[in-house]
Amino acid sequence: MIGMTERISDVSLKELNTWHCGGKCLWFAAPADSTQVSDALKAAHDEGIDVYALGGGSNILVQDGTVNAAVVSSSAMSSMNVCESDGKVIIEAGAGLPVKKLLELSVKHGIGGFEFLVGIPGTVGGAVFGNAGAAGVSFANTLKWVETVSYNGTCRRWESSELAWCYRKSPWNEKDDKPFFITKAGFVSETADRKTITQNVRRFAELKKGQPIGARSAGCVFKNPEKYAAGALLDRCGCKGLAVGGARVSAKHANFIENYNEATSDDIYRLCEMCRERVFDEFGVRLEYEIKFFGAF
């Protein structure tokens, strides 16, 4: 594990994202707590360089070559504490905890509210920041607080009621001095019938059947626009099977792009833009990216 005291220069990000492409960053750090996160962000601030927060790498596209920025990873903050109080189940999770651990906890101990996480990759920090969800269900109902560190190193705890929850968007208002890095989050839920939880997990799993599980992808590339499903629009435009270099649109689900043959990030980006243009030309709908970009595109 690379700690903050071992800040490493020129680290390749290729194996740290699920597309397995892209270049290196100026320096990389994996702080273990909010104080170390603050130190890392202050260092980037003092050096006058951008800094990206890296979780599980499941929804990012990393620039080829050198990303002119630092990368701060949540991988060393993966703890989870569970307790009960007044009939409620209280969970405190580090930003780097894989969300599948919350799902496993739900199934094993009969805790409701996390069944929607089936098939969702990534970590708690990234899932909270992007308001990950399925079939209209997300963390909004169980999340009670979030601890963050802003770019200038300021630590803050946010109550859920302070956050603006919207579909696949950061719950922090883009116009505000929003936090840059999530360090941990608190959830409150209740015990539930295990049979019901299992049924819910199966129901959400059914929704994922048409997705290319196991392929080198980053999940859904585009958000669903109002009144439409992005995958359906892309499919109707004939995007399935389109390819640029080593990147291609999945034959299973048109909102997934696969790295099937050593694709570069440029291959993937050009294919994404080709698909966006087809949808816009056909339907007049400009698809919004769900993935995040590291570097210049």
Side-chain angles (χ1 to χ4, degrees):
M1 187 69 67
I2 302 175
M4 183 55 222
T5 56
E6 301 173 74
R7 196 170 80 184
I8 306 298
S9 300
D10 298 326
V11 170
S12 172
L13 302 174
K14 184 175 182 178
E15 299 306 318
L16 298 179
N17 70 85
T18 56
W19 255 322
H20 294 278
C21 63
K24 60 185 180 179
C25 57
L26 297 182
W27 55 259
F28 176 97
D33 55 39
S34 58
T35 299
Q36 291 186 358
V37 171
S38 180
D39 290 343
L41 298 186
K42 285 179 181 176
H45 185 273
D46 291 344
E47 293 170 21
I49 60 175
D50 289 333
V51 57
Y52 293 103
L54 177 67
S58 60
N59 70 333
I60 63 171
L61 182 61
V62 178
Q63 171 193 332
D64 294 317
T66 298
V67 179
N68 191 32
V71 170
V72 179
S73 168
S74 64
S75 59
M77 295 182 288
S78 58
S79 63
M80 179 170 63
N81 297 308
V82 184
C83 66
E84 290 191 30
S85 177
D86 298 326
K88 302 287 187 179
V89 180
I90 301 172
I91 302 168
E92 183 179 294
L97 182 79
V99 293
K100 67 180 180 180
K101 295 294 183 182
L102 287 177
L103 179 62
E104 291 171 0
L105 178 75
S106 172
V107 174
K108 184 176 180 179
H109 296 286
I111 301 172
F114 300 103
E115 298 94 325
F116 74 93
L117 291 171
V118 63
I120 294 179
T123 58
V124 167
V128 170
F129 192 82
N131 194 21
V137 184
S138 70
F139 278 134
N141 293 330
T142 58
L143 184 75
K144 291 303 175 184
W145 54 264
V146 185
E147 288 187 1
T148 65
V149 183
S150 64
Y151 183 49
N152 63 9
T154 302
C155 300
R156 179 175 171 180
R157 174 165 162 154
W158 304 72
E159 299 301 322
S160 182
S161 59
E162 297 180 82
L163 306 177
W165 295 100
C166 300
Y167 169 73
R168 300 297 179 273
K169 287 186 178 181
S170 165
W172 288 272
N173 190 320
E174 296 293 334
K175 296 180 181 178
D176 295 337
D177 181 20
K178 69 180 186 299
F180 179 83
F181 200 100
I182 292 173
T183 55
K184 65 175 65 172
F187 304 89
V188 176
S189 188
E190 298 179 349
T191 57
D193 179 65
R194 290 187 184 180
K195 182 178 179 181
T196 300
I197 288 177
T198 300
Q199 290 174 342
N200 287 337
V201 168
R202 288 174 179 167
R203 177 169 60 87
F204 282 111
E206 279 291 318
L207 301 176
K208 305 287 183 178
K209 274 193 170 181
Q211 298 181 0
I213 305 299
R216 288 187 171 186
S217 74
C220 289
V221 174
F222 302 106
K223 299 177 183 179
N224 289 327
E226 188 175 356
K227 299 181 181 180
Y228 298 99
L233 294 179
L234 292 159
D235 194 2
R236 289 167 62 186
C237 290
C239 290
K240 280 185 178 178
L242 285 179
V244 172
R248 69 182 174 197
V249 178
S250 171
K252 284 190 173 183
H253 195 304
N255 203 10
F256 284 70
I257 289 180
E258 303 170 352
N259 176 357
Y260 78 100
N261 187 24
E262 300 303 320
T264 65
S265 294
D266 186 61
D267 291 340
I268 293 171
Y269 181 68
R270 287 191 291 131
L271 182 55
C272 289
E273 287 294 289
M274 181 188 299
C275 291
R276 286 183 87 203
E277 288 304 315
R278 282 202 175 198
V279 170
F280 184 74
D281 290 344
E282 182 74 19
F283 301 106
V285 176
R286 178 66 69 186
L287 293 179
E288 183 180 349
Y289 281 106
E290 185 167 326
I291 59 172
K292 306 299 181 184
F293 297 95
F294 279 25
F297 286 90

